[in-house]
Each structure stands twice: as C-alpha cells, then as structure tokens.
Amino acid sequence: MKLVKLLANLGYGSRKEVQRMIKSGAVTDDEGHVLGEGNLPPHEKIRIRGEELDPPSPLTLILNKPDGYTCSTDDAGDTIYDLLPTRFACRNPGLNPIGRLDKDTTGLLLLTDDGKLLHRIIHPKSHCLKVYHAVLDRPLEGHEAGLFASGELLLNGETKPLLPAGFEALSEKEALITLHEGRYHQVRRMFAAAGNHVLQLKRLSIGGLQLPAELEEGEWRELRPEELEAVFEKP
Ligand code: URA
C-alpha cells in the first residue's frame, strides 16, 4: 500500500488532502525524517506532526455507550461516532457496531472494521450470548421466564418465533435477559409482549466479555486480544 492510500484509509483526509499534507512535511518517520509519497516505513514508525498513527486495520474497539447516541453514521442527532476521534468515522474499511444498541440503550458495544469477525460474533450459531439488564415500568408477573424460554414467542409483525431466551428476576421491576440473537428492539418488544414496558436497558456482556468496570459511560479503547477471546467463551 502507498503512503497516500494508507493515510486516506485511516481517515486523515481525502487523497488530495493527504498528498498536500505529505508535501508540507507533516509526515515523518519516528526519527523526524520527512517522508515523501514514495516512502512507506512500518506503520508504527510513521508520525503525523510528531504523533503516532491511529491503529491499522483490523481494528476492534470497546465502548461504554451512553444514553441518547444512535449507532448510525448518518443520524442528525448524536451518534456513537461523535464519541470517537473524527477520523474514525472516515476510515476505510469503516468501523461498524457489532450488534446495534437502540438510542436509549446503554452499555457494552463493540465496533470493528473486520466484517468476518462481526458476522462471527452476531451469528446465533456462535453462541455469543448477550446479557441485558432491564428496568421495567410495572412489576414482573411471574410468567416472563416461561414465555421467554418457550421458543414460541412471536413478536409483532414477525413470522419466525424467537429462540429461547434466558430470564432472571432481580427485583420486582428489574431483570436480566440473555439473548442468542439480536432482533430489532428485541428486549423491549419481548417485554411489550409480556405486557410490560422497558424504562432502562443496558448491555452487560457479550459471550464471556463483561463491560469493564473502569470504562466510564462514553469512554472507549481498543479491545484487548484476551477480551476478544473472552467474547467466544461461555459466560
Ligand atoms: N434489545 C432492545 O430492545 N434494544 C437494544 O438496544 C438491544 C436489545
């Protein structure tokens, strides 16, 4: 790959903008030698105005999603990409959420530019279970565990019943839900089918990966290799 293409793919600008940046001498190696379009030292040795480059592809991030942010690139309001460096929304390949969360759902969200990894994690056959904490409007009635575990629950407008889902009541109006799949507004629609309403929803884990306690709402970082392995482990 050429230097111009590498930097443009990392979102540092259009090819023209990157060419101008290189001509201005802003792109150097780690010893301060100015790089030209024909140079391509190893990724970790390239600097832009003295700063290390963003990580190369494949890149996977972990984010503690706050309330009020959509998992979309083209929403008029706040999006999860507003929480990342501006460049990250312009990367090629692009960073996509692994299983979207609703605007008002919080918690564990992974983003990746690795399409194969994304499909591996979201495919029900991978058994990467997702656990959600739900706060409800009305007291639980006691029929929820059976209804959700039945494998027969048909959501409004759908023809295929839901796979059996796990349910654990935590208090009168709080529960943990474990899903094998990720349908549109699934947890909210499951509770609607049970005659209740979800007030708050937070994703706590994917597979054996828990939302790290030190990751504050709105914070993100690169996913560590051992954390990626945990995604495929049974919780
Ligand atoms: N189920 C929902 O209803 N919403 C989410 O964001 C995730 C799962």
Side-chain angles (χ1 to χ4, degrees), residues 61-72 77-89 95 103 105-107 109 111 216-221:
L61 306 179
I62 179 169
L63 167 72
N64 184 354
K65 183 190 168 298
D67 186 3
Y69 288 77
T70 52
C71 289
S72 157
D78 292 328
T79 80
I80 50 167
Y81 297 97
D82 297 328
L83 300 165
L84 307 174
T86 328
R87 283 192 297 279
F88 279 28
L95 282 165
K103 185 174 181 179
T105 301
T106 61
L109 184 69
L111 293 112
E216 302 281 343
E217 278 202 2
E219 282 186 354
W220 64 275
R221 58 169 166 73

Side-chain angles (χ1 to χ4, degrees), residues 16 27 177 190 201 206 229:
K16 281 217 165 118
V27 186
I177 311 298
M190 286 166 67
L201 191 61
I206 301 177
E229 274 175 35

Side-chain angles (χ1 to χ4, degrees), residues 27-43:
V27 186
T28 65
D29 67 12
D30 57 340
E31 290 173 351
H33 302 120
V34 172
L35 298 178
E37 282 189 30
N39 303 124
L40 190 61
H43 194 105

Side-chain angles (χ1 to χ4, degrees), residues 100-102 105 132 179 183 185-189 201:
R100 290 173 177 230
L101 293 177
D102 298 336
T105 301
Y132 295 86
L179 299 187
R183 299 203 206 171
H185 291 337
Q186 183 167 339
V187 174
R188 293 172 204 277
R189 291 162 76 209
L201 191 61

Side-chain angles (χ1 to χ4, degrees), residues 74-224:
D74 55 6
D75 193 273
D78 292 328
T79 80
I80 50 167
Y81 297 97
D82 297 328
L83 300 165
L84 307 174
T86 328
R87 283 192 297 279
F88 279 28
C90 308
R91 285 174 67 110
N92 179 22
L95 282 165
N96 291 303
I98 304 180
R100 290 173 177 230
L101 293 177
D102 298 336
K103 185 174 181 179
D104 46 0
T105 301
T106 61
L108 175 56
L109 184 69
L110 300 177
L111 293 112
T112 190
D113 60 8
D114 180 343
K116 278 196 184 137
L117 176 69
L118 188 148
H119 287 108
R120 212 178 133 211
I121 296 176
I122 61 174
H123 202 286
K125 283 205 175 124
S126 299
H127 301 292
C128 297
L129 305 182
K130 284 145 289 189
V131 178
Y132 295 86
H133 175 251
V135 177
L136 304 159
D137 192 25
R138 288 183 280 280
L140 292 162
E141 291 181 8
H143 67 310
E144 294 84 358
L147 182 67
F148 296 163
S150 68
E152 290 170 8
L153 180 58
L154 206 53
L155 295 177
N156 250 346
E158 295 197 5
T159 51
K160 200 173 155 217
L162 293 180
L163 294 172
F167 173 88
E168 186 189 338
L170 296 179
S171 72
E172 207 191 20
K173 293 186 182 178
E174 268 177 280
L176 293 180
I177 311 298
T178 303
L179 299 187
H180 295 256
E181 55 191 335
R183 299 203 206 171
Y184 182 65
H185 291 337
Q186 183 167 339
V187 174
R188 293 172 204 277
R189 291 162 76 209
M190 286 166 67
F191 277 105
N196 211 325
H197 176 70
V198 173
L199 294 178
Q200 287 171 32
L201 191 61
K202 180 174 186 173
R203 182 152 64 197
L204 303 181
S205 63
I206 301 177
L209 174 68
Q210 310 276 342
L211 178 65
E214 81 283 357
L215 203 63
E216 302 281 343
E217 278 202 2
E219 282 186 354
W220 64 275
R221 58 169 166 73
E222 261 188 84
L223 190 70
R224 299 175 183 140

